[in-house]
Amino acid sequence: MQINFKQCNSGNYQECNSRDVEYIVIHYTANKGDTAKNNADYFAREVTKTSAHYFVDSKEIWQSVHDADIAWHCGAKNYKHKYCRNTNSLGIEICMLNSKGQVVQASINKAAQLTSYLMQKYSISKDNVIRHFDVTGKDCPAPMVENETLWINFKNKLCEVEQMKVYKYVPDMPDYAQDTFTRLFKTGVISTDSTGAMAVEESSIQPIMYLDRLTGGKIEKLPELMKLLENPEILKLIG
Ligand SMILES: [Zn+2]
């Protein structure tokens, strides 16, 4: 995905350099027939004390504020949302209307691609992709507030990010996997950090269990078994 960058005017955002991103907030620019580049140029030039991380039209994505910095896109005196704020969110502005004021589905589709990408990058669940309206009650993005179906269709385009479970200790794992992982742990195939904790993703348990069964419960011997396969005599045997 191509993401162009044009640095926002320093009067429009807060430098931060490092932070946790937990929400993605969707906006629309409320202009008719504007482009992502128009907006990036505008916010680089003018001091408005407002900003967004990304601007998206039907063809292009322009980033204006780095993800690690805080854009001023959903600040308010009063909030509807309990937790989502500028400090823990990314703001995406969609150039949603053509010159006639009609909704441009291609811009929404491109924004869905970008949103999915950012969800993966920061492990953000679909539930934490929300409208500006959901944060403060502002009528933004208006077409998606006034027509709920447009919003639901957008959300349906997003890939679901699974919150990957990571096991640190063998006793936390499913019973059927404990014996295998104890052997892998004891033989040093799975390494631990200085506190003795491993980091085994849930999704890697099944493949390792299959391999353990295929090797007759000797998965920790797999490197030796692989070496055997290099032996021409054995290769002849197994054809
Ligand atoms: Zn907004």
Side-chain angles (χ1 to χ4, degrees):
M1 184 178 330
Q2 195 189 331
I3 299 176
N4 308 289
F5 186 85
K6 183 157 187 175
Q7 182 68 58
C8 186
N9 190 297
S10 62
N12 297 334
Y13 72 100
Q14 185 186 334
E15 260 188 53
C16 188
N17 296 318
S18 167
R19 65 194 184 111
D20 284 334
V21 177
E22 295 170 73
Y23 295 90
I24 296 173
V25 180
I26 304 298
H27 305 260
Y28 84 136
T29 60
N31 300 314
K32 289 178 186 169
D34 61 339
T35 66
K37 173 90 168 37
N38 289 159
N39 284 280
D41 289 343
Y42 177 81
F43 285 93
R45 195 176 62 233
E46 308 289 334
V47 176
T48 62
K49 294 204 172 291
T50 56
S51 50
H53 293 92
Y54 298 91
F55 297 96
V56 184
D57 62 32
S58 60
K59 294 188 182 72
E60 289 188 319
I61 299 169
W62 280 83
Q63 183 167 18
S64 174
V65 175
H66 286 294
D67 293 353
D69 291 328
I70 297 168
W72 296 332
H73 60 97
C74 68
K77 282 205 178 76
N78 296 299
Y79 291 90
K80 251 175 89 172
H81 199 281
K82 261 188 177 169
Y83 307 109
C84 179
R85 299 294 181 262
N86 283 329
T87 48
N88 60 3
S89 63
L90 290 170
I92 297 178
E93 290 272 0
I94 308 176
C95 300
M96 207 176 280
L97 306 175
N98 66 16
S99 54
K100 292 176 187 158
Q102 296 157 328
V103 168
V104 182
Q105 187 59 45
S107 297
I108 295 174
N109 295 349
K110 194 142 191 82
Q113 284 174 11
L114 172 65
T115 304
S116 295
Y117 163 77
L118 294 169
M119 287 167 71
Q120 300 279 355
K121 189 168 182 181
Y122 297 107
S123 253
I124 295 172
S125 69
K126 228 183 214 183
D127 286 345
N128 284 17
V129 177
I130 56 184
R131 297 167 295 188
H132 190 180
F133 169 77
D134 303 307
V135 183
T136 67
K138 186 178 172 178
D139 188 17
C140 174
M144 289 175 161
V145 174
E146 285 145 27
N147 179 1
E148 191 82 15
T149 311
L150 208 57
W151 174 240
I152 292 166
N153 287 345
F154 172 79
K155 294 271 291 208
N156 285 341
K157 286 182 197 301
L158 305 178
C159 64
E160 191 65 75
V161 175
E162 287 190 34
Q163 299 291 323
M164 183 78 72
K165 188 164 184 175
V166 177
Y167 293 101
K168 283 186 172 177
Y169 304 102
V170 170
D172 301 334
M173 295 182 152
D175 287 346
Y176 68 85
Q178 291 191 8
D179 172 59
T180 301
F181 279 84
T182 301
R183 278 186 279 116
L184 287 172
F185 174 67
K186 277 188 182 156
T187 50
V189 177
I190 291 180
S191 52
T192 57
D193 65 14
S194 56
T195 68
M198 327 175 285
V200 177
E201 286 177 356
E202 189 175 28
S203 61
S204 66
I205 289 183
Q206 278 298 350
I208 286 176
M209 295 308 294
Y210 289 136
L211 272 177
D212 197 27
R213 236 170 283 159
L214 283 169
T215 54
K218 295 206 182 325
I219 187 179
E220 68 277 17
K221 300 253 196 269
L222 202 54
E224 294 161 46
L225 291 171
M226 296 303 284
K227 272 226 178 75
L228 279 178
L229 286 179
E230 287 164 16
N231 184 324
E233 293 303 314
I234 288 185
L235 272 178
K236 244 187 260 167
L237 276 175
I238 59 176

